[in-house]
Amino acid sequence: AYTWSKNIANPLAGQIIQTVIDPIHFARSGDVGGLTGALGGVGGNAYQNPDNIRADRALALNDMPQMLNITPTYELPFGLGKPFLNQKGPLNAILGNWRLMGTFNAESGVPLSITGPCDGLQSEIGVCRPNLVGNPRAVPGGQNINDWINAAAFTPSFGTNQSFWAHPNPTASNWWQFGDAGERLSGLRSPGFWGLDASLGKQFHVSETKYLDFRWEVFNALNHQNPGMPNLGYCLPPNTDGSTDLVHQAGCSFGRITNVQTDPRAMEFALKFLW
């Protein structure tokens, strides 16, 4: 099954969307696992300008334009009616008619919402966005978990004057500006997701209508790690002399991925009796 889609929403739908991405993992302590991993900061659930709500119409939080699902089933060639061990008896009862099943899922990442740093107007409203001035994916050397977002693609809403960054003037007009980066950026997405679950099963018949169904199920069978969300709070590292301001911040980790969206491999054995 392959799906090619596009989902557009406004900020008021964001809180609803958060619960339909993966409510089981999202509710878990730490928000680790599921399709989009740690969701903190990705929602953007408020209008920036209440007088121009159309400006915040954007791709939805759960917009994943491409999704592929493959579910194969393979009957092992052993047992009665198969190429090998094609006979009744104890070996057929133990080794015959096993099935190997799998579920492969691959999906695009979700669009990201960049926040901060705040100016006076944004602090009052509670929605802080920078200006978008370049390609956020154009990371020198390519996107990686330590540098997923091109910081040079953004500037603060209050301009590029670094003297102002260090000494903001609340009476200046540029201290009261909206950022133009938008609610969520179609040109910037989280890492994609792919995973494989598998199971090996067999039915042990007691009679024609009564049987035991045994399965060995493995989730994330390849133990593949999908990187999670990058840090979405726009900032720059401290200046060369170690000084900080509204944009240059100590401990800045903008664009760095420090979480995963995939649970480690887990397995279980299941036995059911059907009659």
Side-chain angles (χ1 to χ4, degrees), residues 36-271:
T36 57
L39 292 174
V42 75
N45 297 323
Y47 291 112
Q48 179 178 227
N49 183 358
D51 294 323
N52 184 17
I53 61 177
R54 289 179 179 270
D56 284 339
R57 182 176 180 270
L59 292 176
L61 173 63
N62 64 341
D63 177 69
M64 291 174 279
Q66 299 191 67
M67 303 178 68
L68 173 67
N69 293 278
I70 302 175
T71 307
T73 299
Y74 174 67
E75 293 186 354
L76 272 63
F78 305 103
L80 193 63
K82 302 294 191 302
F84 306 101
L85 301 179
N86 184 11
Q87 56 187 351
K88 295 182 179 181
L91 285 179
N92 175 68
I94 297 173
L95 301 177
N97 299 311
W98 285 89
R99 289 186 175 185
L100 181 63
M101 294 161 283
T103 299
F104 175 80
N105 173 247
E107 300 175 345
S108 305
V110 296
L112 300 180
S113 179
I114 306 301
T115 62
C118 301
D119 61 23
L121 177 61
Q122 294 174 332
S123 297
E124 291 288 336
I125 296 175
V127 179
C128 303
R129 298 179 195 159
N131 292 329
L132 179 64
V133 296
N135 181 357
R137 292 184 300 175
V139 176
Q143 290 177 300
N144 58 81
I145 60 172
N146 293 316
D147 195 3
W148 191 257
I149 305 173
N150 175 24
F154 300 92
T155 61
S157 60
F158 41 83
T160 59
N161 186 335
Q162 298 196 25
S163 296
F164 191 90
W165 297 359
H167 305 287
N169 180 6
T171 64
S173 60
N174 59 322
W175 187 239
W176 304 92
Q177 301 286 334
F178 292 118
D180 65 10
E183 170 69 5
R184 274 176 290 275
L185 306 181
S186 59
L188 180 64
R189 292 181 176 271
S190 66
F193 171 95
W194 69 265
L196 174 67
D197 299 332
S199 68
L200 182 66
K202 174 179 169 60
Q203 294 177 353
F204 295 89
H205 280 263
V206 178
S207 67
E208 186 174 344
T209 58
K210 299 182 178 66
Y211 60 91
L212 289 167
D213 183 46
F214 170 79
R215 290 194 180 192
W216 174 25
E217 299 175 328
V218 184
F219 305 98
N220 190 11
L222 302 179
N223 205 28
H224 172 68
Q225 185 182 85
N226 290 286
M229 290 289 178
N231 187 306
L232 300 175
Y234 168 65
C235 62
L236 296 175
N239 292 298
T240 53
D241 61 358
S243 62
T244 60
D245 50 45
L246 291 176
V247 181
H248 297 94
Q249 299 177 12
C252 176
S253 59
F254 178 57
R256 184 176 302 171
I257 298 175
T258 58
N259 55 69
V260 296
Q261 56 176 315
T262 316
D263 292 325
R265 182 193 294 121
M267 63 180 68
E268 66 181 15
F269 296 94
L271 183 65

